[in-house]
Amino acid sequence: MFFSSPPPAPASASAAAPEESPRASGGWLARLRSGLKRSSDTLSSGLKNVFARRTLDQAALEELEDLLIQADLGPKPAARLVKDLGATRLDKTVTDAEVRAILAESLASILAPCAKPLEIDPTKKPFVVLMVGVNGNGKTTTVGKLAHGYREQGLSVLLAAADTFRAAAVEQLVAWGERTGCPVVVGPPKGDAAAVAFRAYEQARAEGRDLLLVDTAGRLHTHDNLMQELAKIGRVLKKIDPEAPHATLLVLDATTGQNAHAQVETFKALTPISGLIVTKLDGSAKGGVLVALADRFGLPIVAVGVGEGVSDLRPFDATAFARALVGLEDDRQSKQELDMSCRGDEEPST
Amino acid sequence: MFEGLNTKLGAIFDRLGRRGVISEGDITDALREARVALLEADVALSVVKDFTVKVKERALGQDVLRSVAPGQQVIKIAHDALLDMLGTTAEPLNINVAPPAVVLMLGLQGSGKTTTAAKVARFLQGTQRRKVLLASLDVRRPAAQEQLAVLAEHVGVASLPIVPGQDPLGITRRALQAARQEGFDVLILDTAGRLAVDEDLMAEAAAIRDLAQPHEKLLVLDAMTGQDALTTATHFHAKVGVTGLVLTRLDGDARGGAALSLRAVTGCPIKFLGTGEKVEALEVYHPDRLADRILGMGDVVSLVEKAAATVDKTEAEAMATKMFTGGFDLNDLAKQLRQVRKMGGLSSLLGFLPGVGKIKDQLKAANVDDRVIARQEAIILSMTLKERRDASLLGASRKRRIAKGAGVEVQDVNRLLKQFFEMEKTLRQVRRKMGPGGLAGLMGGGVSDDPDKVLARLKRGF
């Protein structure tokens, strides 16, 4: 599991698989890859057309740059990667596979330092994790998945529904609480979010919980007053323990484009961010902005969300991500695995 | 919204506009910068390419470079090319059919479908006097149906009672029946968020479509979406068919590039823009005004319309009469302050005005924000009714009491009074100049008439 408290060996597929249940073990890597595969489809089919076997000239490099831009890498990292490629290979005849391998390597070298799981300090009881992000990027769902993962590890988890703004957000978290067997602390609708967080913290301490996950309301980083409310939650938690929250995770939607930069920047300015969780990587979005973010901020990427099910939160594997992004994995076999296993543990509808 | 793009593109073309002589190289440079600005705003690459090619072709083709004001011409060309992307006319919702008109909301998870459904319902019921029924078909996300029910109650629109365990098609059938039997004009169906690549769920959406035969299929998209916006829109369009787009979260600092791409590539018109979390934060989409806003030319027409929608007509006329007959007191000032707040506050209003980017930043730096307005209102509310009618009563002692009551300093009270007295003075001067008939000329008809006429009047006035 990616969230084990002593950091696991570099999150490689084979190391993580045995800890999973037998049915899921064949499936999850395939699911991640398949999720990413969808992401990389456009990029890789484009690559095939560009580099079937031809001379790597300026025009070809420009096309390559376009492809990277379409994967949401952003103009600057795209230009840099292409420049690296041009420096070594210009005017040589290259194959599709070669170009992909080189690209994957450069992408992975940018991403690798960021592939770090969240470390839960067992001496903190409870270890308080604050979940933040803009609206609609999957915070509440991610809290549910995290709760499930840590429960599986035998930690005792308490959830705090500090999203008092959005209609029925509390009910949504309560449903996740029931699903994962974690109690949820709630407050009155439109009440004070900080008060809910504070009460939850006190309760978690009294009950000797290992982990407190605080779900906050989604807020656009441009809304100053909402950002101040977030700061207040942090301040109030510090009254109990000056070190709290022990981790603040920024949830980021993979479909987000270059605005992700502004989001990370603003949230980071307000509160120290311990890591990112990237959601919705099972869609058609390429998540290429991650490369740009890794390049610029170097924040740990704690986990990636690849589906709506309780167990659809995965460790971030830089190499696998990079290789899948350029379409280097052969997925014919894993796709079959996917078809068999993926639907099986899909969420029961409520 | 659109500020990042607006500031950048504005600066690029501004530089071009100020030059007397322009070479082909200047245009190429400007377009290269524009390309990066557009890409950083998440405009789809293919659309960016079309734009730069088009502008370059037209700029080089029409003797522009040898004309008197080549820079201005290039700006005009860029503006037209933007319009090509955005579409030229606003297209209203197609709900003028035999009731109930069915509107289907589609989109990815977290794009803002449910909130948008409630906003559209409020819009149709409020401004168009339609009887609207909301129904949530989202049986996947926990508490999604409750969310819509809560929002529906909040905006005062009927929602279909929740029957636990019913599947989306079942709910659709029940909603259609309820809408027909209870005489609703419009039925809005809010679906579960789904990924465009999820075949099963897309098939479900198609089944709902076949059953409900919706007159509008609105795809709701987050303005912060990157290059994937195109993929998503194309998928939804191919599998379910989309008749219109709604862009949400334009109140963030997303540069709204998706707005530029989507229309150009899918051919579907954008119908609404979501500009905030509150239920009234929905704007009808006007491509021409948006192009102005993107190039930093402001959008005065939308501002006037916004005023028309928020400001009570009779109240406005009463106020105008007061202003020009001399009975303007602090009560009226408080009313005005409240109206500014109702219209979304200073910052929101400024967003419509030309050349905003810079002013807005300066205001932010000077700490002039919407709280100032709230504070001024608080000061007036801390006065007695007599004081509000007659500001000349206010001596030092009264001012101290008022400052204490409003939680401000005496200087703040003085500042407000100074502002009020200056306003009074100006009004006196205007009255003297225009004479008794002048009032009708400037303010006649109030604010809620045809915005174009009001705009023309405003232009004459300044």
Side-chain angles (χ1 to χ4, degrees):
Chain A
M1 298 297 291
F2 68 94
F3 21 47
S4 50
S5 8
S12 89
S14 54
E19 291 173 42
E20 293 268 325
S21 69
R23 190 170 58 85
S25 68
W28 87 255
L29 178 65
R31 290 175 71 177
L32 171 62
R33 201 190 292 136
S34 161
L36 288 172
K37 163 93 170 52
R38 294 200 200 111
S39 326
S40 65
D41 267 351
T42 331
L43 182 57
S44 54
S45 61
L47 274 179
K48 263 184 199 138
N49 297 338
V50 180
F51 293 106
R53 182 169 196 100
R54 58 186 276 191
T55 311
L56 195 58
D57 54 13
Q58 209 55 50
L61 285 177
E62 246 164 62
E63 280 174 66
L64 181 58
E65 189 178 336
D66 286 355
L67 288 168
L68 292 176
I69 286 172
Q70 278 175 312
D72 276 327
L73 261 82
K76 274 182 208 154
R80 184 178 118 187
L81 283 163
V82 169
K83 210 178 131 209
D84 287 354
L85 194 66
T88 53
R89 302 289 157 129
L90 195 59
D91 292 330
K92 287 181 186 157
T93 308
V94 285
T95 63
D96 179 43
E98 274 174 335
V99 173
R100 284 168 192 240
I102 299 163
L103 254 185
E105 250 171 63
S106 357
L107 288 170
S109 69
I110 299 172
L111 290 166
C114 296
K116 287 181 213 146
L118 177 65
E119 291 173 35
I120 305 287
D121 182 350
T123 63
K124 304 271 186 290
K125 269 200 183 278
F127 188 85
V128 182
V129 180
L130 194 62
M131 306 290 291
V132 300
V134 301
N135 331 48
N137 58 9
K139 272 180 306 302
T140 306
T141 306
T142 305
V143 168
K145 291 177 187 172
L146 282 172
H148 172 78
Y150 286 114
R151 277 270 299 172
E152 297 266 285
Q153 276 181 47
L155 295 188
S156 146
V157 183
L158 184 68
L159 307 180
D163 180 354
T164 51
F165 182 82
R166 199 189 71 202
V170 171
E171 286 83 346
Q172 190 186 351
L173 191 68
V174 168
W176 274 107
E178 280 165 14
R179 199 176 278 177
T180 57
C182 300
V184 184
V185 177
V186 302
K190 312 275 167 190
D192 184 14
V196 178
F198 186 83
R199 241 173 353 98
Y201 197 179
E202 281 189 322
Q203 185 180 328
R205 262 161 66 109
E207 296 172 355
R209 303 262 171 196
D210 301 308
L211 182 66
L212 170 65
L213 296 171
V214 183
D215 181 28
T216 65
R219 60 202 77 226
L220 283 180
H221 49 290
T222 48
H223 288 184
D224 220 27
N225 46 348
L226 286 176
M227 293 303 279
Q228 292 311 321
E229 183 201 81
L230 191 61
K232 181 181 169 191
I233 296 178
R235 279 200 307 276
V236 165
L237 290 174
K238 281 190 191 355
K239 286 187 182 166
I240 297 178
D241 178 357
E243 283 177 47
H246 307 103
T248 303
L249 298 180
L250 176 63
V251 180
L252 209 63
D253 184 331
T255 56
T256 309
Q258 302 309 307
N259 190 250
H261 286 276
Q263 288 176 29
V264 175
E265 217 172 331
T266 326
F267 276 101
K268 207 164 158 270
L270 186 82
T271 167
I273 300 291
S274 348
L276 303 174
I277 292 185
V278 182
T279 60
K280 304 184 201 170
L281 265 177
D282 48 334
S284 56
K286 293 148 203 78
V289 74
L290 268 188
V291 179
L293 291 178
D295 188 30
R296 185 166 160 208
F297 297 102
L299 286 172
I301 302 166
V302 169
V304 295
V306 292
E308 287 180 295
V310 279
S311 48
D312 287 334
L313 197 66
R314 304 293 176 214
F316 178 72
D317 180 336
T319 312
F321 182 88
R323 288 176 73 86
L325 196 63
V326 296
L328 262 178
E329 307 293 322
D330 183 355
D331 283 73
R332 257 162 302 176
Q333 199 200 337
S334 44
K335 213 170 194 173
Q336 283 174 352
E337 278 171 39
L338 173 87
D339 290 339
M340 289 188 293
S341 72
C342 186
R343 290 287 153 210
D345 53 4
E346 189 80 354
E347 243 349 77
S349 43
T350 24
Chain B
M1 61 198 271
F2 299 110
E3 267 137 41
L5 188 56
N6 161 342
T7 319
K8 286 201 171 168
L9 280 186
I12 293 166
F13 286 108
D14 206 30
R15 233 175 303 146
L16 215 52
R18 268 182 311 210
R19 300 177 61 158
V21 186
I22 290 181
S23 69
E24 192 181 332
D26 292 334
I27 291 180
T28 313
D29 286 348
L31 285 176
R32 195 175 301 133
E33 284 177 57
R35 174 180 177 270
V36 174
L38 289 166
L39 283 176
E40 282 184 344
D42 290 319
V43 180
L45 185 66
S46 55
V47 178
V48 175
K49 283 189 169 166
D50 278 357
F51 173 79
T52 49
V53 167
K54 214 182 264 175
V55 173
K56 192 165 185 180
E57 244 170 36
R58 292 190 199 163
L60 296 180
Q62 300 172 347
D63 295 333
V64 169
L65 299 184
R66 270 170 287 148
S67 67
V68 189
Q72 294 301 328
Q73 297 252 31
V74 175
I75 292 175
K76 169 89 173 54
I77 290 168
H79 181 260
D80 291 349
L82 272 179
L83 264 188
D84 284 353
M85 281 191 233
L86 293 163
T88 40
T89 48
E91 294 188 39
L93 274 190
N94 169 31
I95 50 164
N96 293 322
V97 293
V102 181
V103 179
L104 188 63
M105 311 292 293
L106 298 160
L108 300 179
Q109 292 94 336
S111 54
K113 280 176 304 303
T114 306
T115 308
T116 305
K119 285 179 182 178
V120 171
R122 180 185 173 275
F123 170 78
L124 292 178
Q125 188 153 299
T127 62
Q128 308 211 352
R129 308 265 168 249
R130 309 282 179 145
K131 198 178 160 199
V132 184
L133 177 66
L134 279 166
S136 170
L137 312 182
D138 187 351
V139 295
R140 294 172 58 84
R141 200 185 67 189
Q145 300 191 60
E146 284 80 358
Q147 186 187 353
L148 188 69
V150 171
L151 283 169
E153 204 188 307
H154 181 56
V155 298
V157 169
S159 68
L160 192 72
I162 300 169
V163 176
Q166 202 168 25
D167 70 342
L169 284 173
I171 303 175
T172 307
R173 246 175 247 123
R174 193 155 56 86
L176 286 168
Q177 201 182 8
R180 271 186 216 119
Q181 279 173 356
E182 293 163 40
F184 284 97
D185 301 318
V186 182
L187 168 63
I188 300 182
L189 297 171
D190 178 30
T191 63
R194 60 200 75 222
L195 294 166
V197 290
D198 190 327
E199 299 290 342
D200 290 358
L201 275 178
M202 291 306 276
E204 183 203 85
I208 294 171
R209 173 202 60 199
D210 293 342
L211 178 64
Q213 298 288 332
H215 305 89
E216 282 283 2
K217 287 157 278 186
L218 297 182
L219 177 65
V220 182
L221 259 177
D222 186 332
M224 296 186 292
T225 314
Q227 301 279 331
D228 184 56
L230 265 196
T231 322
T232 301
T234 328
H235 270 90
F236 271 97
H237 197 39
K239 286 177 191 153
V240 192
V242 172
T243 57
L245 300 156
V246 183
L247 273 183
T248 60
R249 300 216 178 98
L250 283 163
D251 50 330
D253 57 358
R255 293 175 191 164
L260 291 163
S261 331
L262 288 174
R263 164 85 212 209
V265 176
T266 62
C268 295
I270 297 173
K271 302 212 165 173
F272 294 105
L273 305 175
T275 54
E277 285 175 279
K278 298 207 176 115
V279 285
E280 59 268 27
L282 184 77
E283 281 178 31
V284 174
Y285 174 75
H286 292 283
D288 43 341
R289 304 179 193 176
L290 200 58
D292 283 354
R293 238 193 274 186
I294 289 173
L295 283 181
M297 298 174 190
D299 180 4
V300 183
V301 186
S302 286
L303 175 63
V304 173
E305 274 189 356
K306 197 167 184 180
T310 352
V311 178
D312 186 326
K313 187 176 174 181
T314 42
E315 206 173 271
E317 274 169 3
M319 171 108 52
T321 318
K322 262 189 173 176
M323 278 178 155
F324 293 98
T325 52
F328 188 73
D329 62 15
L330 283 162
N331 272 322
D332 301 310
L333 183 60
K335 254 184 223 156
Q336 284 192 335
L337 292 173
R338 259 193 299 272
Q339 267 160 8
V340 170
R341 276 212 309 186
K342 237 165 78 190
M343 281 158 72
L346 270 184
S347 46
S348 153
L349 293 183
L350 280 176
F352 290 99
L353 295 175
V356 270
K358 281 174 251 163
I359 305 176
K360 228 174 157 178
D361 289 345
Q362 284 167 1
L363 276 181
K364 223 177 212 168
N367 220 356
V368 178
D369 56 32
D370 295 331
R371 269 172 297 181
V372 172
I373 299 182
R375 228 173 287 141
Q376 293 190 330
E377 204 187 324
I379 294 174
I380 299 180
L381 290 177
S382 301
M383 299 175 184
T384 65
L385 293 179
K386 208 169 159 192
E387 286 164 351
R388 287 183 219 174
R389 275 194 303 271
D390 183 4
S392 63
L393 286 175
L394 294 168
S397 161
R398 285 182 191 250
K399 281 182 192 165
R400 265 200 305 279
R401 191 203 78 238
I402 291 163
K404 235 182 224 166
V408 297
E409 301 293 317
V410 177
Q411 293 109 283
D412 295 315
V413 180
N414 282 332
R415 206 171 299 140
L416 175 89
L417 286 173
K418 195 177 161 209
Q419 204 180 315
F420 172 72
F421 286 130
E422 262 166 23
M423 213 166 155
E424 228 188 4
K425 202 171 118 197
T426 318
L427 285 174
R428 258 201 312 275
Q429 284 166 351
V430 174
R431 268 201 303 277
R432 214 173 309 139
K433 251 189 217 154
M434 298 206 299
L439 164 64
L442 186 65
M443 292 296 283
V447 277
S448 46
D449 35 15
D450 180 10
D452 289 329
K453 274 191 214 151
V454 177
L455 187 64
R457 265 207 298 277
L458 278 175
K459 275 182 180 156
R460 267 206 317 273
F462 296 113

